[in-house]
PDB file of all heavy atoms in Angstrom:
ATOM      1  N   GLY B 859      -7.346  28.924   5.489  1.00  0.00           N
ATOM      2  CA  GLY B 859      -7.375  29.482   6.824  1.00  0.00           C
ATOM      3  C   GLY B 859      -6.241  29.073   7.746  1.00  0.00           C
ATOM      4  O   GLY B 859      -6.057  29.666   8.802  1.00  0.00           O
ATOM      5  N   GLY B 860      -5.487  28.065   7.320  1.00  0.00           N
ATOM      6  CA  GLY B 860      -4.339  27.658   8.127  1.00  0.00           C
ATOM      7  C   GLY B 860      -4.686  26.825   9.365  1.00  0.00           C
ATOM      8  O   GLY B 860      -5.866  26.583   9.640  1.00  0.00           O
ATOM      9  N   PHE B 861      -3.658  26.352  10.014  1.00  0.00           N
ATOM     10  CA  PHE B 861      -3.872  25.525  11.229  1.00  0.00           C
ATOM     11  C   PHE B 861      -2.821  25.865  12.254  1.00  0.00           C
ATOM     12  O   PHE B 861      -1.743  26.322  11.943  1.00  0.00           O
ATOM     13  CB  PHE B 861      -3.879  24.043  10.888  1.00  0.00           C
ATOM     14  CG  PHE B 861      -2.628  23.530  10.264  1.00  0.00           C
ATOM     15  CD1 PHE B 861      -1.584  23.006  11.018  1.00  0.00           C
ATOM     16  CD2 PHE B 861      -2.417  23.583   8.860  1.00  0.00           C
ATOM     17  CE1 PHE B 861      -0.414  22.532  10.467  1.00  0.00           C
ATOM     18  CE2 PHE B 861      -1.247  23.102   8.265  1.00  0.00           C
ATOM     19  CZ  PHE B 861      -0.225  22.561   9.080  1.00  0.00           C
ATOM     20  N   LYS B 862      -3.258  25.694  13.493  1.00  0.00           N
ATOM     21  CA  LYS B 862      -2.373  26.035  14.641  1.00  0.00           C
ATOM     22  C   LYS B 862      -1.507  24.810  15.019  1.00  0.00           C
ATOM     23  O   LYS B 862      -1.963  23.683  14.951  1.00  0.00           O
ATOM     24  CB  LYS B 862      -3.203  26.426  15.852  1.00  0.00           C
ATOM     25  CG  LYS B 862      -3.614  27.923  15.772  1.00  0.00           C
ATOM     26  CD  LYS B 862      -4.149  28.373  17.125  1.00  0.00           C
ATOM     27  CE  LYS B 862      -5.622  28.009  17.320  1.00  0.00           C
ATOM     28  NZ  LYS B 862      -6.221  28.573  18.512  1.00  0.00           N
ATOM     29  N   VAL B 863      -0.306  25.075  15.411  1.00  0.00           N
ATOM     30  CA  VAL B 863       0.563  24.054  15.981  1.00  0.00           C
ATOM     31  C   VAL B 863       1.103  24.591  17.319  1.00  0.00           C
ATOM     32  O   VAL B 863       1.991  25.420  17.376  1.00  0.00           O
ATOM     33  CB  VAL B 863       1.770  23.706  15.075  1.00  0.00           C
ATOM     34  CG1 VAL B 863       2.629  22.647  15.708  1.00  0.00           C
ATOM     35  CG2 VAL B 863       1.285  23.265  13.683  1.00  0.00           C
ATOM     36  N   GLU B 864       0.430  24.194  18.419  1.00  0.00           N
ATOM     37  CA  GLU B 864       0.800  24.692  19.755  1.00  0.00           C
ATOM     38  C   GLU B 864       1.491  23.581  20.537  1.00  0.00           C
ATOM     39  O   GLU B 864       0.877  22.550  20.794  1.00  0.00           O
ATOM     40  CB  GLU B 864      -0.444  25.125  20.520  1.00  0.00           C
ATOM     41  CG  GLU B 864      -1.239  26.234  19.818  1.00  0.00           C
ATOM     42  CD  GLU B 864      -2.668  26.327  20.314  1.00  0.00           C
ATOM     43  OE1 GLU B 864      -3.455  25.405  19.963  1.00  0.00           O
ATOM     44  OE2 GLU B 864      -2.955  27.282  21.007  1.00  0.00           O
ATOM     45  N   THR B 865       2.741  23.799  20.882  1.00  0.00           N
ATOM     46  CA  THR B 865       3.485  22.784  21.610  1.00  0.00           C
ATOM     47  C   THR B 865       3.589  23.154  23.071  1.00  0.00           C
ATOM     48  O   THR B 865       3.464  24.343  23.453  1.00  0.00           O
ATOM     49  CB  THR B 865       4.904  22.622  21.018  1.00  0.00           C
ATOM     50  OG1 THR B 865       5.547  23.887  20.961  1.00  0.00           O
ATOM     51  CG2 THR B 865       4.818  22.091  19.608  1.00  0.00           C
ATOM     52  N   GLN B 866       3.834  22.149  23.880  1.00  0.00           N
ATOM     53  CA  GLN B 866       4.112  22.438  25.316  1.00  0.00           C
ATOM     54  C   GLN B 866       5.544  21.978  25.589  1.00  0.00           C
ATOM     55  O   GLN B 866       6.153  21.364  24.763  1.00  0.00           O
ATOM     56  CB  GLN B 866       3.098  21.700  26.211  1.00  0.00           C
ATOM     57  CG  GLN B 866       3.227  20.183  26.193  1.00  0.00           C
ATOM     58  CD  GLN B 866       2.436  19.474  27.240  1.00  0.00           C
ATOM     59  OE1 GLN B 866       1.654  20.102  27.944  1.00  0.00           O
ATOM     60  NE2 GLN B 866       2.598  18.166  27.389  1.00  0.00           N
ATOM     61  N   LEU B 867       6.100  22.325  26.764  1.00  0.00           N
ATOM     62  CA  LEU B 867       7.426  21.935  27.148  1.00  0.00           C
ATOM     63  C   LEU B 867       8.462  22.508  26.180  1.00  0.00           C
ATOM     64  O   LEU B 867       8.160  23.105  25.161  1.00  0.00           O
ATOM     65  CB  LEU B 867       7.597  20.401  27.291  1.00  0.00           C
ATOM     66  CG  LEU B 867       6.596  19.729  28.185  1.00  0.00           C
ATOM     67  CD1 LEU B 867       6.737  18.205  28.132  1.00  0.00           C
ATOM     68  CD2 LEU B 867       6.713  20.215  29.634  1.00  0.00           C
ATOM     69  N   GLY B 868       9.756  22.294  26.458  1.00  0.00           N
ATOM     70  CA  GLY B 868      10.805  22.928  25.638  1.00  0.00           C
ATOM     71  C   GLY B 868      11.385  22.033  24.557  1.00  0.00           C
ATOM     72  O   GLY B 868      10.934  20.895  24.406  1.00  0.00           O
ATOM     73  N   SER B 869      12.366  22.566  23.879  1.00  0.00           N
ATOM     74  CA  SER B 869      13.014  21.850  22.777  1.00  0.00           C
ATOM     75  C   SER B 869      13.630  20.535  23.210  1.00  0.00           C
ATOM     76  O   SER B 869      13.568  19.518  22.507  1.00  0.00           O
ATOM     77  CB  SER B 869      14.070  22.707  22.127  1.00  0.00           C
ATOM     78  OG  SER B 869      13.481  23.870  21.611  1.00  0.00           O
ATOM     79  N   GLY B 870      14.258  20.522  24.376  1.00  0.00           N
ATOM     80  CA  GLY B 870      14.882  19.302  24.851  1.00  0.00           C
ATOM     81  C   GLY B 870      13.881  18.192  25.003  1.00  0.00           C
ATOM     82  O   GLY B 870      14.157  17.029  24.587  1.00  0.00           O
ATOM     83  N   TRP B 871      12.700  18.467  25.531  1.00  0.00           N
ATOM     84  CA  TRP B 871      11.670  17.470  25.643  1.00  0.00           C
ATOM     85  C   TRP B 871      11.160  17.042  24.264  1.00  0.00           C
ATOM     86  O   TRP B 871      10.797  15.852  24.104  1.00  0.00           O
ATOM     87  CB  TRP B 871      10.478  18.043  26.459  1.00  0.00           C
ATOM     88  CG  TRP B 871      10.741  18.022  27.918  1.00  0.00           C
ATOM     89  CD1 TRP B 871      11.027  19.080  28.752  1.00  0.00           C
ATOM     90  CD2 TRP B 871      10.763  16.837  28.791  1.00  0.00           C
ATOM     91  NE1 TRP B 871      11.231  18.654  30.036  1.00  0.00           N
ATOM     92  CE2 TRP B 871      11.077  17.305  30.103  1.00  0.00           C
ATOM     93  CE3 TRP B 871      10.563  15.495  28.568  1.00  0.00           C
ATOM     94  CZ2 TRP B 871      11.162  16.424  31.177  1.00  0.00           C
ATOM     95  CZ3 TRP B 871      10.625  14.620  29.669  1.00  0.00           C
ATOM     96  CH2 TRP B 871      10.969  15.131  30.936  1.00  0.00           C
ATOM     97  N   MET B 872      11.135  17.960  23.327  1.00  0.00           N
ATOM     98  CA  MET B 872      10.644  17.557  22.008  1.00  0.00           C
ATOM     99  C   MET B 872      11.636  16.604  21.350  1.00  0.00           C
ATOM    100  O   MET B 872      11.225  15.680  20.596  1.00  0.00           O
ATOM    101  CB  MET B 872      10.497  18.821  21.129  1.00  0.00           C
ATOM    102  CG  MET B 872       9.340  19.715  21.570  1.00  0.00           C
ATOM    103  SD  MET B 872       7.756  18.877  21.578  1.00  0.00           S
ATOM    104  CE  MET B 872       7.198  19.195  19.855  1.00  0.00           C
ATOM    105  N   ILE B 873      12.920  16.775  21.620  1.00  0.00           N
ATOM    106  CA  ILE B 873      13.915  15.860  21.028  1.00  0.00           C
ATOM    107  C   ILE B 873      13.743  14.461  21.708  1.00  0.00           C
ATOM    108  O   ILE B 873      13.746  13.427  20.974  1.00  0.00           O
ATOM    109  CB  ILE B 873      15.357  16.417  21.251  1.00  0.00           C
ATOM    110  CG1 ILE B 873      15.527  17.656  20.408  1.00  0.00           C
ATOM    111  CG2 ILE B 873      16.394  15.326  20.904  1.00  0.00           C
ATOM    112  CD1 ILE B 873      16.817  18.420  20.656  1.00  0.00           C
ATOM    113  N   ILE B 874      13.607  14.424  23.023  1.00  0.00           N
ATOM    114  CA  ILE B 874      13.420  13.134  23.722  1.00  0.00           C
ATOM    115  C   ILE B 874      12.164  12.448  23.169  1.00  0.00           C
ATOM    116  O   ILE B 874      12.159  11.268  22.863  1.00  0.00           O
ATOM    117  CB  ILE B 874      13.330  13.356  25.237  1.00  0.00           C
ATOM    118  CG1 ILE B 874      14.664  13.807  25.779  1.00  0.00           C
ATOM    119  CG2 ILE B 874      12.872  12.094  25.959  1.00  0.00           C
ATOM    120  CD1 ILE B 874      14.629  14.379  27.175  1.00  0.00           C
ATOM    121  N   ALA B 875      11.060  13.254  23.074  1.00  0.00           N
ATOM    122  CA  ALA B 875       9.799  12.672  22.576  1.00  0.00           C
ATOM    123  C   ALA B 875       9.975  12.116  21.141  1.00  0.00           C
ATOM    124  O   ALA B 875       9.484  11.061  20.804  1.00  0.00           O
ATOM    125  CB  ALA B 875       8.716  13.730  22.638  1.00  0.00           C
ATOM    126  N   GLY B 876      10.657  12.877  20.291  1.00  0.00           N
ATOM    127  CA  GLY B 876      10.842  12.472  18.903  1.00  0.00           C
ATOM    128  C   GLY B 876      11.615  11.158  18.823  1.00  0.00           C
ATOM    129  O   GLY B 876      11.259  10.232  18.087  1.00  0.00           O
ATOM    130  N   LEU B 877      12.693  11.022  19.638  1.00  0.00           N
ATOM    131  CA  LEU B 877      13.470   9.786  19.647  1.00  0.00           C
ATOM    132  C   LEU B 877      12.569   8.599  20.073  1.00  0.00           C
ATOM    133  O   LEU B 877      12.601   7.526  19.482  1.00  0.00           O
ATOM    134  CB  LEU B 877      14.655   9.928  20.606  1.00  0.00           C
ATOM    135  CG  LEU B 877      15.757  10.875  20.133  1.00  0.00           C
ATOM    136  CD1 LEU B 877      16.777  11.107  21.265  1.00  0.00           C
ATOM    137  CD2 LEU B 877      16.495  10.308  18.908  1.00  0.00           C
ATOM    138  N   LEU B 878      11.776   8.802  21.142  1.00  0.00           N
ATOM    139  CA  LEU B 878      10.894   7.779  21.648  1.00  0.00           C
ATOM    140  C   LEU B 878       9.841   7.376  20.611  1.00  0.00           C
ATOM    141  O   LEU B 878       9.590   6.177  20.394  1.00  0.00           O
ATOM    142  CB  LEU B 878      10.198   8.206  22.913  1.00  0.00           C
ATOM    143  CG  LEU B 878      11.050   8.237  24.200  1.00  0.00           C
ATOM    144  CD1 LEU B 878      10.309   8.994  25.304  1.00  0.00           C
ATOM    145  CD2 LEU B 878      11.354   6.789  24.678  1.00  0.00           C
ATOM    146  N   VAL B 879       9.263   8.361  19.941  1.00  0.00           N
ATOM    147  CA  VAL B 879       8.249   8.069  18.936  1.00  0.00           C
ATOM    148  C   VAL B 879       8.845   7.326  17.745  1.00  0.00           C
ATOM    149  O   VAL B 879       8.306   6.354  17.244  1.00  0.00           O
ATOM    150  CB  VAL B 879       7.541   9.366  18.445  1.00  0.00           C
ATOM    151  CG1 VAL B 879       6.691   9.138  17.243  1.00  0.00           C
ATOM    152  CG2 VAL B 879       6.689   9.944  19.607  1.00  0.00           C
ATOM    153  N   GLY B 880       9.987   7.801  17.272  1.00  0.00           N
ATOM    154  CA  GLY B 880      10.666   7.137  16.147  1.00  0.00           C
ATOM    155  C   GLY B 880      11.075   5.710  16.451  1.00  0.00           C
ATOM    156  O   GLY B 880      10.713   4.753  15.710  1.00  0.00           O
ATOM    157  N   PHE B 881      11.783   5.556  17.554  1.00  0.00           N
ATOM    158  CA  PHE B 881      12.234   4.232  17.900  1.00  0.00           C
ATOM    159  C   PHE B 881      11.097   3.273  18.255  1.00  0.00           C
ATOM    160  O   PHE B 881      11.009   2.144  17.781  1.00  0.00           O
ATOM    161  CB  PHE B 881      13.211   4.293  19.111  1.00  0.00           C
ATOM    162  CG  PHE B 881      13.969   3.037  19.404  1.00  0.00           C
ATOM    163  CD1 PHE B 881      15.131   2.755  18.773  1.00  0.00           C
ATOM    164  CD2 PHE B 881      13.427   2.115  20.295  1.00  0.00           C
ATOM    165  CE1 PHE B 881      15.843   1.566  19.042  1.00  0.00           C
ATOM    166  CE2 PHE B 881      14.105   0.905  20.550  1.00  0.00           C
ATOM    167  CZ  PHE B 881      15.296   0.649  19.925  1.00  0.00           C
ATOM    168  N   GLY B 882      10.134   3.818  19.077  1.00  0.00           N
ATOM    169  CA  GLY B 882       9.004   2.991  19.546  1.00  0.00           C
ATOM    170  C   GLY B 882       8.106   2.553  18.434  1.00  0.00           C
ATOM    171  O   GLY B 882       7.682   1.381  18.382  1.00  0.00           O
TER     172      GLY B 882
END
Side-chain angles (χ1 to χ4, degrees):
Chain B
F861 59 92
K862 277 194 276 188
V863 180
E864 301 160 289
T865 53
Q866 67 171 7
L867 306 174
S869 299
W871 281 106
M872 292 301 272
I873 293 173
I874 293 168
L877 289 169
L878 285 166
V879 169
F881 191 88

